[in-house]
Amino acid sequence: MKRSLLSLLVFAGLLSYGCKSPEPAQPQRPNIIFIMSDDHAYQAISAYDNSLIETPNIDRLAKMGMLFTNASVTNSICAPSRATILTGKHSHLNGKVDNHFHFDTTNVTFPQLLQEAGYQTAMFGKLHFGNNPKGFDQFKILPGQGSYYNPDFITKHEGNIQVEGYVTDIVTDMTLDWLANERKADQPFMLMYLHKAPHRSWLMAERHLEDFTNRKFPEPKTLFDDYAGRAAAAEAEMRIMDHMAWAGDNKVFPAVMDELGIPEIGYDKTRFQSEYGRLTESQKAAFDRAYTPINEAFKKAYPSMSDADKLRWKYQRYLQDYLGTIQAVDENMGRLLDYLEANGLMENTIIVYTSDQGFYLGEHGWFDKRFVYDESFKTPLLVSWPQRIKAGSRSDELVQNLDFAQTFLEAAGVKAPSDMQGESLLPILTGQNDKWNRDAVYYHYYEYPAEHMVNRHYAIVTKDYKLVHYYFVEDRWELIDRKKDPMELKNEYDNPAYKQIREELHRRLTDLRVKYKDNSELSQKYIDDLMRDASAGKVFGVSPDKIREIQNRRAKIDLEKK
Ligand code: SGN
Ligand code: CA
């Protein structure tokens, strides 16, 4: 028996020796589906943390592929994050440092390179660049922030259109329609599927109203943070208590605000009216059915509420609406994954789920983002590619949105331009961690003065520490010990016990700024640009008084430096 097997093998070997060996089959280039939501906190994905919501469909990616626990952004704000993703460059080099100015379309982006290399490309949903994307065979994008209900779209082939319904469902319909009817079977594709949800002002789909407006959520430990030792945190205008709008965000009816004598926060009632005004009669009826009982109960409770009660109430209202919008994202994610499975498109498709940044869900008493503190610096990242990534794997490497462009280009066999600044994640994704050796990342946030007033800052982040420089209206450093103080409540910068660590981090931060080609001259250019527009009254939420205050503070810093 053994002998006959051996002779069979020898015979087969001879045969193949005699013939010309067949060309090794070219591995088929993978499809790429890049899914991104807007402001989706990792705390609100059950694969990360199931104390707030179950997201079984997003979690399918973690089961099929890899979940990253230390993924972060380079600049925690919408359009700059998108620009970093598309260009593979930090904000100071791609020029999109804030939401205020338009994206410079002379930048080279990875979709353009993939299109040139034979990929079919499409984008659906939120871009927020102030101009149209290049390198796409098809796009249907929301103008600016877009609307939750009955949204308008700018389209490549049909002009401007309005579609009745709920934005998350509509963007998915468009995506599925493209996959079914426009996708060419003989070409690999790169699809960007970009949700508006869960961005402010958190309007959930009609079908989720009843369920989510009746849920109650655990409070974060730092809901009542006093910001001791963290001047920029104290100054920021993103506290749920003081800056979240009663009507515009929390859906207190303007008439109820009047009745109770509650003063407006920002353009509180106008925003409510304009969102509500977009609804059809039946959508209005569903909205009223859900929010009338809440308003009735609030009217009774309000007169005897303490400040702490009010914060708690607003926190619950905020999370109900925010998480309600995520329910639709998760359901629609299920629709997409089911389609891919049913059509044999799962195995050789890289599917990425991420957000343009993280978000505060009451941590530090906040909503919004912008800071280098974890909840907004980190972002969810789940990647599946059954052909190459081990199911159910996890990585705690320091990866960034800066890395996507090079990852996709490498996976597609396209050479990345040498001025891209990220690194391909393929070694991590395919279990070759020895080929990955990043031990620190660089962060730089610019949008100040602007809504929410988060001072400009740059930072080095390692697995153990953060060293942060706030430099615009104050000149102050923060050092955070990530292991000892995961809630990031203590500034250790002046603590003598950290002297050596502080000096080491300063050295490394200087090196990183050289490596990524960032410097104070560039920062100054971006300051001048935004200040010019802010002084001309062109920056939302920044009054002439504020400008004067800023100028005085900057003059004081200059004086101290002399
Ligand atoms: C809007 C929101 C802000 C938010 C920015 C940026 N205000 O201006 O709360 O920080 O977008 O968000 S709102 O009153 O218009 O809702 S980003 O995700 O686009 O960067
Ligand atoms: Ca965002």
Side-chain angles (χ1 to χ4, degrees):
M1 183 70 185
K2 259 192 190 153
R3 181 179 284 181
S4 60
L5 184 64
L6 190 68
S7 45
L8 195 73
L9 283 174
V10 170
F11 178 68
L14 281 175
L15 251 187
S16 69
Y17 183 77
C19 316
K20 193 174 172 294
S21 58
E23 287 284 311
Q26 280 290 323
Q28 257 203 340
R29 292 187 293 176
N31 303 308
I32 298 162
I33 303 185
F34 183 80
I35 309 167
M36 187 159 76
S37 300
D38 193 353
D39 294 355
H40 194 166
Y42 54 85
Q43 309 91 294
I45 292 180
S46 46
Y48 283 90
D49 176 350
N50 66 359
S51 54
L52 296 177
I53 188 170
E54 291 296 334
T55 51
N57 290 302
I58 298 172
D59 295 3
R60 279 161 74 179
L61 289 186
K63 291 205 183 97
M64 273 191 291
M66 185 175 279
L67 176 140
F68 288 84
T69 55
N70 259 325
S72 63
V73 295
T74 61
N75 178 3
S76 181
I77 182 96
C78 185
S81 175
R82 290 157 204 267
T84 294
I85 289 168
L86 290 175
T87 62
K89 290 181 187 173
H90 275 277
S91 307
H92 57 275
L93 294 191
N94 68 46
K96 186 78 178 126
V97 299
D98 54 36
N99 274 342
H100 182 68
F101 295 100
H102 289 183
F103 177 69
D104 172 0
T105 54
T106 62
N107 275 297
V108 172
T109 64
F110 83 81
Q112 285 168 286
L113 299 173
L114 289 181
Q115 190 186 42
E116 276 166 24
Y119 270 70
Q120 192 187 1
T121 54
M123 177 189 280
F124 300 102
K126 180 169 171 183
L127 177 63
H128 200 198
F129 268 1
N131 43 39
N132 293 342
K134 278 189 173 169
F136 287 89
D137 301 317
Q138 174 63 290
F139 64 77
K140 295 183 183 179
I141 57 170
L142 298 161
Q145 294 284 7
S147 302
Y148 274 106
Y149 276 89
N150 314 321
D152 298 305
F153 286 87
I154 300 166
T155 73
K156 177 149 183 167
H157 303 293
E158 298 157 53
N160 295 350
I161 56 171
Q162 187 182 9
V163 185
E164 189 175 322
Y166 186 66
V167 69
T168 309
D169 302 335
I170 297 168
V171 170
T172 312
D173 292 345
M174 289 171 167
T175 301
L176 292 176
D177 181 61
W178 182 84
L179 281 167
N181 300 317
E182 286 184 50
R183 182 177 65 86
K184 298 185 180 127
D186 58 350
Q187 253 180 297
F189 67 85
M190 194 286 294
L191 168 67
M192 300 190 89
Y193 166 52
L194 310 171
H195 287 297
K196 172 190 170 58
H199 193 273
R200 201 178 176 189
S201 11
W202 314 302
L203 295 184
M204 68 184 104
E206 286 176 64
R207 62 184 180 281
H208 299 131
L209 279 164
E210 198 192 329
D211 176 1
F212 277 79
T213 53
N214 284 299
R215 290 196 187 189
K216 192 157 183 344
F217 301 98
E219 288 169 8
K221 290 202 181 75
T222 58
L223 185 62
F224 292 88
D225 193 354
D226 62 4
Y227 315 111
R230 289 154 293 145
E235 184 190 337
E237 296 178 0
M238 45 195 247
R239 293 191 293 279
I240 294 175
M241 183 63 188
D242 305 305
H243 308 107
M244 183 175 276
W246 289 98
D249 291 320
N250 288 151
K251 284 88 180 172
V252 173
F253 297 156
V256 172
M257 284 179 70
D258 291 343
E259 206 178 314
L260 297 171
I262 301 177
E264 282 193 86
I265 295 175
Y267 65 121
D268 199 327
K269 294 179 194 167
T270 329
R271 186 138 53 89
F272 179 94
Q273 306 291 14
S274 73
E275 301 275 14
Y276 190 74
R278 290 192 69 87
L279 306 182
T280 62
E281 288 312 309
S282 77
Q283 289 163 350
K284 276 183 185 153
F287 186 96
D288 292 346
R289 257 196 315 282
Y291 290 111
T292 303
I294 291 176
N295 272 269
E296 289 305 319
F298 181 65
K299 264 200 288 192
K300 287 200 195 99
Y302 184 79
S304 58
M305 276 168 129
S306 66
D307 280 352
D309 293 337
K310 286 177 194 163
L311 172 54
R312 294 202 152 102
W313 186 89
K314 289 181 92 173
Y315 166 77
Q316 292 298 335
R317 280 279 44 261
Y318 163 38
L319 260 74
Q320 289 172 351
D321 294 343
Y322 175 92
L323 294 165
T325 72
I326 288 173
Q327 187 72 11
V329 171
D330 191 66
E331 284 173 4
N332 279 289
M333 183 76 181
R335 290 175 66 202
L336 175 69
L337 295 180
D338 289 349
Y339 179 90
L340 298 174
E341 247 160 30
N343 289 276
L345 285 170
M346 200 64 105
E347 279 300 302
N348 196 26
T349 299
I350 303 174
I351 308 175
V352 170
Y353 186 92
T354 190
S355 171
D356 60 345
Q357 9 69 207
F359 213 67
Y360 297 96
L361 300 183
E363 300 87 357
H364 306 289
W366 284 336
F367 64 107
D368 215 65
K369 52 252 176 182
R370 299 162 194 265
F371 276 104
V372 72
Y373 299 120
D374 271 0
E375 292 81 3
S376 59
F377 163 68
K378 296 214 297 190
T379 195
L381 177 60
L382 305 101
V383 187
S384 98
W385 184 10
Q387 255 184 27
R388 301 286 301 275
I389 305 174
K390 192 163 161 259
S393 48
R394 282 171 90 90
S395 169
D396 69 350
E397 296 295 351
L398 297 167
V399 304
Q400 287 198 293
N401 57 350
L402 183 69
D403 301 319
F404 289 132
Q406 277 151 281
T407 306
F408 298 146
L409 290 171
E410 189 186 356
V414 178
K415 198 169 166 344
S418 59
D419 60 351
M420 283 192 173
Q421 299 183 302
E423 281 170 58
S424 163
L425 301 177
L426 284 195
I428 302 177
L429 294 170
T430 55
Q432 298 167 280
N433 277 41
D434 52 322
K435 294 193 182 144
W436 177 268
N437 57 10
R438 182 186 285 159
D439 57 7
V441 294
Y442 183 60
Y443 181 85
H444 197 157
Y445 170 80
Y446 300 80
E447 198 179 82
Y448 183 108
E451 203 180 356
H452 301 302
M453 290 294 170
V454 174
N455 192 17
R456 291 167 186 250
H457 55 292
Y458 59 84
I460 177 173
V461 181
T462 69
K463 282 189 182 166
D464 294 334
Y465 303 102
K466 289 180 184 171
L467 177 69
V468 192
H469 187 205
Y470 292 95
Y471 65 87
F472 181 64
V473 278
E474 55 182 342
D475 182 10
R476 194 189 294 263
W477 291 84
E478 258 174 40
L479 194 163
I480 293 160
D481 185 331
R482 303 185 77 188
K483 291 273 154 66
K484 279 202 188 135
D485 176 24
M487 285 189 280
E488 303 178 295
L489 298 171
K490 231 172 146 211
N491 179 8
E492 305 286 9
Y493 191 78
D494 293 320
N495 180 347
Y498 285 83
K499 181 170 182 288
Q500 233 183 324
I501 290 161
R502 187 181 68 213
E503 284 168 6
E504 165 80 9
L505 286 168
H506 267 293
R507 265 194 303 279
R508 292 177 67 187
L509 174 57
T510 305
D511 290 350
L512 268 191
R513 279 169 66 82
V514 172
K515 173 180 171 185
Y516 288 123
K517 303 186 171 69
D518 195 7
N519 58 53
S520 337
E521 254 169 65
L522 268 174
S523 296
Q524 189 55 47
K525 171 185 162 348
Y526 295 125
I527 288 171
D528 294 344
D529 287 353
L530 192 62
M531 280 303 277
R532 187 196 58 228
D533 277 17
S535 304
K538 290 187 196 157
V539 175
F540 173 74
V542 184
S543 63
D545 278 355
K546 201 83 202 175
I547 299 286
R548 266 190 296 280
E549 182 199 317
I550 289 167
Q551 276 157 347
N552 290 339
R553 288 173 72 183
R554 286 181 57 73
K556 201 168 145 242
I557 297 175
D558 286 347
L559 217 64
E560 278 163 9
K561 274 191 190 148
K562 277 178 194 155

